[in-house]
Amino acid sequence: MLSFKEMPMTASALFSAYASFSATMMLVRSIAHELIPHELRSYLYSAVRHLFTPLSSDLTLIIDEFSGMARNQVFDAAELYLRTKVSPKAARLRVAKAPRQKVLAVAIDRGEQIEDEFDEIRLSWRFVWTEPENNSRSGEKRHFELSFPKKFKDRVLGLYLPSVLIRANAIKEEQKAVKIHSRECPYDDEDGGGGGGWGSVNLEHPSTFETLAMEPELKRAIMEDLDRFVRRKEFYKKVGKAWKRGYLLYGPPGTGKSSLIAAMANYLKFDIYDLDLTSIYSNSDLKRVLLSTTNRSILVIEDIDCSVDLQNRQFEEHFETSNTRMTLSGLLNFIDGLWSSCGDERIIVFTTNHKDRLDPALLRPGRMDMHINLSYCSTNGFKTLASNYLGVQGDHRLCDEIEGLISGTQVTPAEVAEELMKGDDADVALEGLVNFLKRKKVETSETHEKERAEAAVVMDGVANFLKRKKAESVKKKDKESLDAVVALEELVDLVKRKKIEADDVLRKGNQEEGGGDQKAEAGPDSKRLKRSENGNGVRKSRRVVRRRSGRAMANGF
Ligand SMILES: Nc1ncnc2c1ncn2[C@@H]1O[C@H](COP(=O)(O)OP(=O)(O)OP(=O)(O)O)[C@@H](O)[C@H]1O
């Protein structure tokens, strides 16, 4: 044993031996750096490491956060997937929530391990997070290490990791907050929709198909149509059609057109792009704006009849200045021209309060595939609203009376909803609705009476005028003028008959079902129907004119 006196001697000897060893090692290292090429050095290091590492039957995959400059999709998928695998035994978890995110994101912390199993293969995930020595964020690196027995390498790469990617996509879809994009919105799009001047916020509209006051068959038809559309990717490819679908929603204000759009977006989890056509100045502007929308989205153009003058196509064809102003052709080109194939799973919705004002070119099949008529509140509509707003299921003492009143009144779901919101108490709210409907009924019949009387006065005036003209023509033996008068008389007759028929239908409809005649038509069928009606009407009127004119001639000449 060393005596106390000998200690300093021994320590200094040790220190000098250590110093000379370090100096030698530094010399060797710098000589090695100078003389041995980098590749050879790495090889030697890994060979030495290999010698000292016990032989392992496991393989470890390193999944870096970035692949070059781009994010590594496997890393992102693993991050989402592993959130569903967090063990109750985990000692540390990371919890985060972005301002516009709906749910908390719970993830494993650095160094934590997660065990997983796939087809009886046991796998172990580890999250590794290295920070640079100077603590700057730019140098930090994150990666996952996935370890499993080497012999399963092919199954893990070929089956397990792809299944992680699929599951992560499904989780993303489940957690996706539906957004509404608008060019007036001040926010930037977080997801990088890019260009086109779109901003977005989360769509907070709670409307769903359950809450919509709509005929159950119509609801079902729309939902089935949407389901068919989203699952038909291969079909669209096979028939060579762009994967898109157009819906025209028409009906009076307050019948649920916007609510239906929100319900469609919530149902499909598609973002909405709300486009105000009056903010578009040229076709090239339109192209830029529409090209910056994303797949799986609904492009909405509300009140298409008033947004922009899209009526004058003949004029436009003659004076085409397509790039200096926005034209109907420019819009149509995007709906079903070559540009329409840019993107997948696109839905286009036009709304209007006046379908009759639209250029038939817009309504053509292939452009607007489904025409949906949203009309006045029906008894079914009332039942849905009463259940939504008051929790009343049709068993209230006032329900029968209300249903009877609704049947004979043109009242919008918005008006009914407004009345139902006036009281928390079902009795108070429903009594308020009864009074409202009674008032409305009186007003409606008064208005109808007034309109009928006004129309009768105008028709009588026209008929008297034509009678005078007819007498003059007969007197002057002016055959041409007589023909014209007879044709006009026929027209007046036709209008009178149609008016009487329409009043009958209205009266009958009111007695049977009230205003609610919501329906969906496939574009082509509805058009065919309308065309044949017009055709018959016109043909019939021409035949009668020929007969009448001949009779008048026979009498007068
Ligand atoms: N069919 C409906 N089902 C449920 N609620 C409805 C329905 N129609 C209207 N409402 C209620 O009325 C409000 C206005 O309806 P909405 O904006 O959807 O009508 P709209 O037809 O789009 O009207 P506009 O033509 O004026 O834009 C909605 O917020 C909703 O509360």
Side-chain angles (χ1 to χ4, degrees):
M1 196 148 153
L2 289 174
S3 73
F4 185 70
K5 272 186 184 174
E6 286 167 320
M7 279 293 284
M9 275 288 294
T10 315
S12 85
L14 272 176
F15 181 74
S16 72
Y18 172 73
S20 82
F21 175 74
S22 304
T24 315
M25 284 312 290
M26 276 171 70
L27 190 68
V28 169
R29 248 180 92 176
S30 66
I31 290 172
H33 263 264
E34 291 283 320
L35 298 180
I36 306 174
H38 170 76
E39 290 75 14
L40 182 59
R41 238 167 35 226
S42 307
Y43 175 76
L44 287 174
Y45 286 151
S46 73
V48 169
R49 207 180 309 132
H50 188 76
L51 275 177
F52 288 98
T53 312
L55 275 180
S56 163
S57 59
D58 276 2
L59 175 67
T60 298
L61 302 180
I62 308 296
I63 301 164
D64 286 321
E65 187 175 9
F66 287 93
S67 160
M69 297 286 281
R71 286 193 70 81
N72 181 355
Q73 291 186 355
V74 186
F75 179 92
D76 288 341
E79 208 174 26
L80 271 180
Y81 172 75
L82 292 176
R83 282 178 196 171
T84 64
K85 297 278 166 183
V86 172
S87 143
K89 290 186 201 146
R92 286 167 70 86
L93 293 174
R94 284 178 301 132
V95 181
K97 182 181 171 309
R100 284 148 72 193
Q101 220 169 21
K102 281 196 170 164
V103 284
L104 292 178
V106 179
I108 50 170
D109 197 16
R110 67 182 77 179
E112 288 282 325
Q113 209 150 315
I114 284 185
E115 304 301 326
D116 195 12
E117 197 172 327
F118 175 76
D119 266 358
E120 296 179 0
I121 308 173
R122 295 199 65 79
L123 303 109
S124 170
W125 288 88
R126 206 163 76 87
F127 181 47
V128 182
W129 189 340
T130 50
E131 278 171 13
E133 273 159 21
N134 60 6
N135 265 345
S136 79
R137 273 200 72 108
S138 59
E140 71 183 20
K141 284 204 173 91
R142 305 186 316 155
H143 71 260
F144 283 109
E145 289 180 2
L146 173 61
S147 305
F148 53 89
K150 259 184 199 145
K151 59 181 175 184
F152 297 127
K153 185 180 118 204
D154 290 344
R155 279 166 64 190
V156 170
L157 288 174
L159 296 172
Y160 176 68
L161 283 180
S163 80
V164 169
L165 284 163
I166 291 170
R167 179 74 189 110
N169 271 341
I171 296 169
K172 223 188 301 177
E173 270 310 297
E174 279 161 26
Q175 293 182 351
K176 184 184 161 189
V178 176
K179 285 183 187 163
I180 178 159
H181 303 253
S182 159
R183 298 201 335 126
E184 283 78 47
C185 179
Y187 299 98
D188 284 339
D189 185 5
E190 280 174 358
D191 297 340
W198 295 104
S200 65
V201 289
N202 281 349
L203 177 74
E204 305 289 357
H205 203 301
S207 175
T208 62
F209 278 101
E210 285 77 51
T211 63
L212 270 181
M214 192 186 260
E215 291 310 298
E217 309 84 63
L218 179 58
K219 247 186 229 186
R220 209 172 313 119
I222 299 172
M223 287 164 83
E224 279 171 11
D225 196 76
L226 292 172
D227 289 338
R228 204 176 312 120
F229 169 68
V230 291
R231 65 165 187 260
R232 280 186 132 184
K233 180 177 182 165
E234 289 311 316
F235 170 80
Y236 278 88
K237 212 166 159 186
K238 196 176 83 191
V239 300
K241 254 173 89 80
W243 192 10
K244 61 168 189 63
R245 193 137 180 93
Y247 296 87
L248 174 76
L249 314 188
Y250 65 98
T255 48
K257 295 180 290 297
S258 309
S259 308
L260 174 57
I261 295 170
M264 287 163 85
N266 286 328
Y267 181 64
L268 295 175
K269 297 222 166 190
F270 277 21
D271 281 0
I272 292 178
Y273 284 87
D274 182 16
L275 180 61
D276 176 6
L277 280 188
T278 54
S279 69
I280 304 284
Y281 299 107
S282 65
N283 285 345
S284 47
D285 199 14
L286 180 71
K287 215 174 278 179
R288 190 177 56 81
V289 165
L290 293 184
L291 277 176
S292 57
T293 60
T294 53
N295 288 347
R296 296 173 65 73
S297 62
I298 304 179
L299 174 71
V300 177
I301 301 180
E302 289 208 80
D303 300 317
I304 178 83
D305 52 308
C306 353
S307 1
V308 92
D309 182 17
L310 296 172
Q311 303 288 319
N312 218 344
R313 217 152 64 106
Q314 281 93 349
F315 173 86
E316 181 196 304
E317 275 161 13
H318 292 298
F319 303 95
E320 183 66 61
T321 48
S322 53
N323 272 333
T324 51
R325 72 190 176 92
M326 208 206 81
T327 58
L328 178 57
S329 305
L331 185 63
L332 297 182
N333 190 24
F334 233 98
I335 299 173
D336 70 347
L338 285 177
W339 288 99
S340 68
S341 50
C342 303
D344 275 341
E345 275 187 293
R346 306 290 186 117
I347 289 179
I348 301 173
V349 178
F350 286 161
T351 75
T352 179
N353 297 334
H354 306 280
K355 188 183 173 192
D356 51 317
R357 289 190 195 158
L358 298 184
D359 190 309
L362 264 177
L363 307 177
R364 212 194 69 183
R367 286 178 178 151
M368 291 298 107
D369 302 289
M370 197 173 183
H371 297 185
I372 301 169
N373 181 16
L374 290 152
S375 190
Y376 295 105
C377 195
S378 63
T379 49
N380 279 325
F382 161 68
K383 281 180 192 154
T384 309
L385 291 174
S387 157
N388 291 347
Y389 284 75
L390 304 170
V392 167
Q393 304 299 339
D395 47 1
H396 192 277
R397 66 184 164 85
L398 291 172
C399 280
D400 285 346
E401 186 180 0
I402 291 175
E403 285 171 23
L405 283 166
I406 280 197
S407 296
T409 321
Q410 289 191 336
V411 59
T412 63
E415 288 171 315
V416 174
E418 192 60 34
E419 287 302 316
L420 296 182
M421 285 208 317
K422 286 187 178 162
D424 290 334
D425 182 64
D427 288 341
V428 177
L430 292 177
E431 268 159 24
L433 181 59
V434 169
N435 293 333
F436 171 79
L437 290 171
K438 283 180 178 165
R439 276 198 314 275
K440 188 94 185 168
K441 200 168 180 121
V442 173
E443 277 168 26
T444 313
S445 70
E446 279 174 3
T447 317
H448 277 152
E449 257 336 295
K450 210 169 141 207
E451 279 172 5
R452 237 188 310 248
E454 281 169 4
V457 169
V458 172
M459 284 301 176
D460 286 349
V462 174
N464 287 337
F465 171 78
L466 291 175
K467 215 167 162 184
R468 280 201 310 277
K469 282 282 165 203
K470 193 172 173 184
E472 279 173 29
S473 309
V474 172
K475 206 167 159 190
K476 287 186 198 160
K477 299 200 172 183
D478 182 348
K479 185 169 177 313
E480 221 169 274
S481 144
L482 184 65
D483 272 353
V485 171
V486 171
L488 285 172
E489 271 184 342
E490 267 317 310
L491 208 60
V492 171
D493 273 0
L494 186 71
V495 171
K496 275 183 180 168
R497 272 203 312 278
K498 288 275 170 205
K499 180 87 182 82
I500 292 169
E501 275 169 28
D503 284 348
D504 278 354
V505 169
L506 191 70
R507 216 171 297 123
K508 222 161 129 195
N510 282 350
Q511 278 160 8
E512 279 168 9
E513 184 46 47
D517 68 337
Q518 297 177 328
K519 61 174 183 281
E521 312 148 355
D525 294 348
S526 64
K527 207 178 164 201
R528 212 177 303 132
L529 204 81
K530 216 172 157 190
R531 203 185 297 131
S532 77
E533 248 175 30
N534 285 345
N536 286 343
V538 171
R539 271 200 299 279
K540 192 170 166 197
S541 130
R542 280 209 205 101
R543 265 201 315 272
V544 179
V545 167
R546 275 202 301 276
R547 230 173 30 233
R548 281 281 199 98
S549 163
R551 220 182 301 143
M553 285 301 198
N555 294 341
F557 291 98

